[in-house]
mmCIF file of all heavy atoms in Angstrom:
data_model
loop_
_atom_site.group_PDB
_atom_site.id
_atom_site.type_symbol
_atom_site.label_atom_id
_atom_site.label_comp_id
_atom_site.label_asym_id
_atom_site.label_seq_id
_atom_site.Cartn_x
_atom_site.Cartn_y
_atom_site.Cartn_z
ATOM 1 N N ILE A 52 -37.305 11.091 22.385
ATOM 2 C CA ILE A 52 -37.298 10.814 20.957
ATOM 3 C C ILE A 52 -38.423 9.687 20.777
ATOM 4 O O ILE A 52 -38.219 8.696 21.469
ATOM 5 C CB ILE A 52 -35.959 10.405 20.575
ATOM 6 C CG1 ILE A 52 -34.904 11.530 20.744
ATOM 7 C CG2 ILE A 52 -35.998 9.960 19.057
ATOM 8 C CD1 ILE A 52 -33.398 11.006 20.543
ATOM 9 N N ARG A 53 -39.350 9.977 19.889
ATOM 10 C CA ARG A 53 -40.267 8.923 19.629
ATOM 11 C C ARG A 53 -40.384 8.752 17.954
ATOM 12 O O ARG A 53 -40.354 9.686 17.278
ATOM 13 C CB ARG A 53 -41.660 9.332 20.118
ATOM 14 C CG ARG A 53 -41.788 9.015 21.553
ATOM 15 C CD ARG A 53 -43.243 8.694 21.871
ATOM 16 N NE ARG A 53 -43.432 8.909 23.352
ATOM 17 C CZ ARG A 53 -43.557 9.981 23.993
ATOM 18 N NH1 ARG A 53 -43.794 11.167 23.308
ATOM 19 N NH2 ARG A 53 -43.594 10.078 25.253
ATOM 20 N N VAL A 54 -40.405 7.490 17.722
ATOM 21 C CA VAL A 54 -40.522 7.141 16.241
ATOM 22 C C VAL A 54 -41.794 6.333 16.065
ATOM 23 O O VAL A 54 -42.125 5.459 16.811
ATOM 24 C CB VAL A 54 -39.359 6.258 15.723
ATOM 25 C CG1 VAL A 54 -39.564 5.732 14.295
ATOM 26 C CG2 VAL A 54 -38.013 6.961 15.914
ATOM 27 N N HIS A 55 -42.627 6.764 15.103
ATOM 28 C CA HIS A 55 -43.816 6.080 14.691
ATOM 29 C C HIS A 55 -43.685 5.608 13.182
ATOM 30 O O HIS A 55 -43.119 6.403 12.523
ATOM 31 C CB HIS A 55 -45.155 7.021 14.779
ATOM 32 C CG HIS A 55 -45.104 7.806 16.019
ATOM 33 N ND1 HIS A 55 -45.711 7.385 17.115
ATOM 34 C CD2 HIS A 55 -44.578 8.963 16.303
ATOM 35 C CE1 HIS A 55 -45.553 8.290 18.072
ATOM 36 N NE2 HIS A 55 -44.778 9.269 17.555
ATOM 37 N N CYS A 56 -44.185 4.423 12.907
ATOM 38 C CA CYS A 56 -44.130 4.026 11.469
ATOM 39 C C CYS A 56 -45.355 3.154 11.094
ATOM 40 O O CYS A 56 -45.904 2.390 11.973
ATOM 41 C CB CYS A 56 -42.818 3.229 11.250
ATOM 42 S SG CYS A 56 -42.627 2.670 9.472
ATOM 43 N N ASN A 57 -45.829 3.517 9.938
ATOM 44 C CA ASN A 57 -47.002 2.633 9.368
ATOM 45 C C ASN A 57 -46.652 1.204 8.980
ATOM 46 O O ASN A 57 -47.651 0.517 8.709
ATOM 47 C CB ASN A 57 -47.717 3.542 8.323
ATOM 48 C CG ASN A 57 -46.748 3.605 7.113
ATOM 49 O OD1 ASN A 57 -45.546 3.414 7.212
ATOM 50 N ND2 ASN A 57 -47.265 3.805 5.960
ATOM 51 N N HIS A 58 -45.466 0.890 8.973
ATOM 52 C CA HIS A 58 -45.076 -0.462 8.446
ATOM 53 C C HIS A 58 -44.763 -1.359 9.723
ATOM 54 O O HIS A 58 -43.838 -1.108 10.504
ATOM 55 C CB HIS A 58 -43.822 -0.345 7.615
ATOM 56 C CG HIS A 58 -43.502 -1.547 6.829
ATOM 57 N ND1 HIS A 58 -43.188 -2.804 7.408
ATOM 58 C CD2 HIS A 58 -43.540 -1.704 5.404
ATOM 59 C CE1 HIS A 58 -42.887 -3.572 6.438
ATOM 60 N NE2 HIS A 58 -43.151 -3.007 5.275
ATOM 61 N N PRO A 59 -45.458 -2.481 9.805
ATOM 62 C CA PRO A 59 -45.282 -3.227 11.006
ATOM 63 C C PRO A 59 -43.804 -3.929 11.205
ATOM 64 O O PRO A 59 -43.398 -4.230 12.246
ATOM 65 C CB PRO A 59 -46.272 -4.494 10.804
ATOM 66 C CG PRO A 59 -46.635 -4.489 9.360
ATOM 67 C CD PRO A 59 -46.466 -3.097 8.791
ATOM 68 N N GLN A 60 -43.075 -4.055 10.087
ATOM 69 C CA GLN A 60 -41.747 -4.631 10.173
ATOM 70 C C GLN A 60 -40.702 -3.685 10.615
ATOM 71 O O GLN A 60 -39.517 -3.968 10.857
ATOM 72 C CB GLN A 60 -41.325 -5.103 8.785
ATOM 73 C CG GLN A 60 -41.412 -6.635 8.630
ATOM 74 C CD GLN A 60 -41.068 -6.883 7.125
ATOM 75 O OE1 GLN A 60 -41.924 -6.736 6.253
ATOM 76 N NE2 GLN A 60 -39.860 -7.392 6.767
ATOM 77 N N VAL A 61 -41.092 -2.364 10.628
ATOM 78 C CA VAL A 61 -40.042 -1.330 11.021
ATOM 79 C C VAL A 61 -40.022 -1.164 12.549
ATOM 80 O O VAL A 61 -41.028 -0.741 13.109
ATOM 81 C CB VAL A 61 -40.270 0.043 10.256
ATOM 82 C CG1 VAL A 61 -39.390 1.105 10.670
ATOM 83 C CG2 VAL A 61 -40.194 -0.235 8.713
ATOM 84 N N PRO A 62 -38.922 -1.320 13.281
ATOM 85 C CA PRO A 62 -38.859 -1.158 14.601
ATOM 86 C C PRO A 62 -38.957 0.323 14.947
ATOM 87 O O PRO A 62 -38.586 1.154 14.177
ATOM 88 C CB PRO A 62 -37.555 -1.727 15.038
ATOM 89 C CG PRO A 62 -36.752 -1.582 13.809
ATOM 90 C CD PRO A 62 -37.658 -1.701 12.647
ATOM 91 N N THR A 63 -39.484 0.731 16.128
ATOM 92 C CA THR A 63 -39.488 2.135 16.402
ATOM 93 C C THR A 63 -38.540 2.434 17.633
ATOM 94 O O THR A 63 -38.547 3.565 18.239
ATOM 95 C CB THR A 63 -40.954 2.539 16.840
ATOM 96 O OG1 THR A 63 -41.423 1.603 17.901
ATOM 97 C CG2 THR A 63 -41.872 2.433 15.634
ATOM 98 N N ASP A 64 -37.791 1.495 18.041
ATOM 99 C CA ASP A 64 -36.869 1.710 19.155
ATOM 100 C C ASP A 64 -35.451 2.109 18.683
ATOM 101 O O ASP A 64 -35.423 2.428 17.428
ATOM 102 C CB ASP A 64 -36.666 0.480 19.988
ATOM 103 C CG ASP A 64 -36.247 -0.793 19.246
ATOM 104 O OD1 ASP A 64 -35.801 -0.566 18.105
ATOM 105 O OD2 ASP A 64 -36.261 -1.861 19.800
#
Side-chain angles (χ1 to χ4, degrees):
I52 297 167
R53 275 209 199 86
V54 175
H55 316 268
C56 184
N57 62 341
H58 193 299
Q60 254 174 287
V61 175
T63 53
D64 60 10

